Amino acid sequence: MNVVVVGSGIAGLTTALHAHETGHSVTVVTKGALGDGCTGYAQGGVAGIYGVGDSAAQHAADTIDAGAGLSDPAAVDVLVHEGATRIAELIARGVAFDRSPDGRLLLGREAAHRHARIVHAGGDATGAEITRAMVASVRDADVTVVEGAFLADVIAEDGVVRGVRVQVGGAVSELSADAVVLATGGAGHLYAHTTNPLGTTGDGIAAAVRIGAAVADLEFVQFHPTILAEGPAFLVSEAVRGEGATLVDADGRRFVFDSHPDGELAPRDVVARAIARQSARQGSPVRLDATMIGGLRLAQRFPTIDRVTRERGLDWASTPIPVTPAAHYLMGGVVTDLDGRTSVPGLFAVGEVARTGVHGANRLASNSLLEGAVFGARAAAALGTPWQHPPVSSQRGSAPRAPLSEESESTGEIAVGADFSRAALQRLMWDHVGLLRSEEGLRHAATIVGRWLAAIPEPATVREREDANLLLLARATASAALARTDSVGAHFREPLASPLLETV
C-alpha cells in the first residue's frame, strides 16, 4: 500500500515507522526539515507510567476532569491503556528518558495530575530527545522523505483520497497515494503570541476542510499559562510548578487560589485566565517564583529553561521571573475514529491536527506526545482495513456551528474595512477569539475575517497559502466559539471580554 504521511513530529514519524515495518511503501512529506514542528519544543514529558498508588484509571479520570467532562471516554481509555507500550517503544528506538542512579524511570508531576506519572528526558528537553531518536530511526529505515514540501491540498476523487499536492519552492507537484495521513500539527500562528514554531499555520486542517472532512471543537484553544515575558516567546514548563514554583502578583501574593483551590496546579485554562486577569489589573506581568527550588536543582532538572532565562539576564534561582500566557495547543481538529480514520475515505489524521476526543475542552499536560504515539501506531495498523463512515468517535464535545453574520458592527481596534495582514489577523484573534471572549467580540472578529477571506486573491506562494489557511481556520474558530454559548474548559465567554495586557 502506498502511504503519504504529511508531517514529521512524533505522530507522523510513529505512523511512518509502523507503516513501514508492516510492509507499506511510505513517503514522509514535511514542511521544513525532518523532525521540525512542535514535538521538538516539548519540555514536560510523556504521561503514562504509573507508580505506587497510581493507575491507568486514575490517569483517565484526570484526563476527563481536565477536559471539563467533554473527553470521549473510549478514546481516553485507549490512550491510557496503550501508553506504556508506546513509551516502551520510544525507549527501544533510543529515547533516553531520565533515570535514577538505580535505573528507574524518573517521574514528574504537572498540573491537574494527581500523581507523578510523566517520563522526561534531559530534564526539560523531552521533545528534542524524542525527535532525535525518531528522526534517526526514520533515516535508518527505507522511508522516502521529502523535505521543504508545503501541503497545498489533499487530492480527492469521487469522495476518496488519492494523494496530495505539494509545493516545493515555486513548483507544485502531485504525489499519488492509497492513503494520506495528516500529522501537520495545530494552528498556533492564528494568535499574536504563541509557543508554536513559525510553520504552525493550520495547513492540514484547512486542506481537510477543503475536501469536506468533518472538523470539531475548534473553539477549544489551549493557552499555556507561563511563557517568559522577556524577549521572544519561550515556554516555561508546567513541570516547574509541579516541582513547587508559585505564581505571585506584584505584592508577592499567590493569586491563583482566588480562582481555584488547587492554585498553581489547577487546569491550564484556569491558571492562564487567572494570570491574564491579574496582569491586566496590575498593569504588568505576574511572576513565577521558583526560588524555593534552589539553583542547583533548577539547573539539573530544567537545564534548557535555566540557560535561556540566564541568557535573557534573569536569575530565576534568586528572583521571580515575569510570565504571560500564549496560544499553545488546539484540542479540536479533523474528526477521527479510534484508528485515525476521518470522514473522508483514505484520509487519516493523527496528533494535534486530529480531534480524537481525548482532550475534550482542555488538554491535560503531557498527554499530547502520548496521543501522537498511541494514535499514530493505531492509524498505521488500520491502513488497508475497511472504512467506517462517519468516524465512530462520539463527538460529545462538539457544538453546532453558528452561521457567520456580515452585519456585525466594528467594536474593536481593527476596523471592518481594514486591509488584511497576518499581524492584523493575529491581533484580532488574540483580542477577540483568545483567552477571554464575548459575543460582541466574536461577531466583530467573524465579520472582519469573513471579508478578508472573500477578498484575498488565489494563493500562489507558500506564504500566501499559509495566510489563506489561517483565514479559513480563523473563520471556523470564530464560528465554533459563537455557537458554543456556555463557558467550558478553554472556551470562556464573558458579557464583554476585557482587553488583555500586551506583555510579549
Side-chain angles (χ1 to χ4, degrees):
M1 188 173 189
N2 183 21
V3 181
V4 170
V5 177
V6 188
S8 61
I10 188 171
L13 296 186
T14 298
T15 307
L17 286 167
H18 275 256
H20 166 72
E21 288 161 1
T22 51
H24 299 292
S25 174
V26 181
T27 299
V28 174
V29 174
T30 185
K31 190 173 182 177
L34 187 66
D36 281 357
C38 290
T39 294
Y41 290 79
Q43 295 176 351
V46 188
I49 297 297
Y50 310 120
V52 176
D54 196 10
S55 65
Q58 292 190 57
H59 185 185
D62 289 349
T63 297
I64 292 170
D65 286 347
L70 296 185
S71 301
D72 184 331
V76 174
D77 188 67
V78 165
L79 182 82
V80 300
H81 283 98
E82 298 184 13
T85 299
R86 299 283 78 83
I87 291 171
E89 178 185 304
L90 289 171
I91 294 170
R93 293 196 191 281
V95 176
F97 290 115
D98 295 335
R99 296 179 181 269
S100 65
D102 64 1
R104 290 179 295 109
L105 288 169
L106 294 176
L107 302 181
R109 183 185 176 195
E110 298 187 24
H113 287 270
R114 284 178 284 180
H115 297 276
R117 59 170 70 106
I118 299 163
V119 294
H120 46 79
D124 58 358
T126 308
E129 171 61 10
I130 288 173
T131 298
R132 179 203 63 76
M134 297 200 71
V135 166
S137 294
V138 169
R139 295 289 192 199
D140 289 342
D142 185 22
V143 174
T144 301
V145 177
V146 182
E147 297 178 289
F150 177 83
L151 174 66
D153 277 305
V154 174
I155 301 169
E157 298 175 1
D158 300 322
V160 177
V161 165
R162 302 298 185 191
V164 295
R165 189 173 294 111
V166 297
Q167 181 166 347
V168 180
V172 177
S173 59
E174 295 184 359
L175 298 175
S176 62
D178 301 305
V180 171
V181 184
L182 296 176
T184 51
H189 281 270
L190 279 174
Y191 293 93
H193 309 303
T194 180
T195 64
N196 291 184
L198 282 173
T200 315
T201 51
D203 307 322
I205 303 173
V209 168
R210 285 193 291 269
I211 62 167
V215 298
D217 295 352
L218 296 179
E219 65 270 34
F220 296 131
V221 180
Q222 184 176 86
F223 289 76
H224 197 286
T226 50
I227 308 305
L228 193 60
E230 293 281 350
F234 175 77
L235 188 148
V236 180
S237 173
E238 199 164 87
V240 177
R241 283 176 277 135
E243 290 281 335
T246 61
L247 289 161
V248 297
D249 63 16
D251 298 321
R253 186 178 68 91
R254 293 174 68 182
F255 61 91
V256 185
F257 284 98
D258 298 342
S259 300
H260 196 282
D262 290 342
E264 291 87 0
L265 294 182
R268 283 181 174 177
D269 62 301
V270 175
V271 178
R273 286 194 296 270
I275 291 173
R277 289 195 179 100
Q278 183 59 40
S279 296
R281 277 195 293 267
Q282 67 187 40
S284 63
V286 305
R287 302 274 167 167
L288 178 71
D289 185 357
T291 58
M292 73 291 293
I293 299 174
L296 180 61
R297 174 62 176 164
L298 287 172
Q300 290 175 337
R301 176 69 176 86
F302 306 107
T304 307
I305 302 172
D306 188 70
R307 173 180 57 79
V308 171
T309 54
R310 293 182 184 281
E311 287 174 352
R312 298 188 185 183
L314 303 170
D315 181 6
W316 72 327
S318 62
T319 306
I321 58 175
V323 292
T324 185
H328 184 54
Y329 190 88
L330 178 60
M331 274 71 74
V334 185
V335 176
T336 71
D337 67 7
L338 300 181
D339 296 308
R341 300 182 189 90
T342 73
S343 60
V344 179
L347 182 66
F348 293 78
V350 293
E352 191 175 353
V353 70
R355 187 271 183 197
T356 62
V358 161
H359 305 303
N362 191 31
R363 177 176 66 84
L364 181 66
S366 291
N367 270 353
S368 54
L369 294 177
L370 185 68
E371 183 196 35
V374 167
F375 288 91
R378 290 180 69 90
L383 291 168
T385 60
W387 209 262
Q388 296 185 26
H389 181 80
V392 298
S393 175
S394 72
Q395 302 185 46
R396 61 187 287 169
S398 301
R401 296 293 176 253
L404 299 183
S405 170
E406 293 289 340
E407 304 304 322
S408 305
E409 295 181 0
S410 175
T411 58
E413 299 78 11
I414 299 175
V416 170
D419 292 336
F420 167 77
S421 69
R422 186 178 296 189
L425 172 65
Q426 291 168 333
R427 182 158 59 93
L428 180 74
M429 294 293 288
W430 179 260
D431 288 343
H432 298 297
V433 199
L435 266 169
L436 305 175
R437 301 166 178 178
S438 68
E439 181 175 359
E440 184 180 15
L442 289 169
R443 291 198 177 278
H444 171 67
T447 297
I448 295 175
V449 169
R451 295 184 183 181
W452 280 340
L453 193 56
I456 62 168
E458 186 70 22
T461 67
V462 167
R463 175 76 179 196
E464 290 169 350
R465 292 183 192 277
E466 288 180 334
D467 286 343
N469 289 341
L470 286 170
L471 280 167
L472 180 61
L473 266 293
R475 182 175 66 178
T477 302
S479 174
L482 277 166
R484 191 177 291 280
T485 56
D486 58 325
S487 291
V488 58
H491 171 67
F492 193 82
R493 294 276 293 258
E494 295 185 317
L496 185 62
S498 304
L500 299 183
L501 177 70
E502 289 288 338
T503 56
V504 292

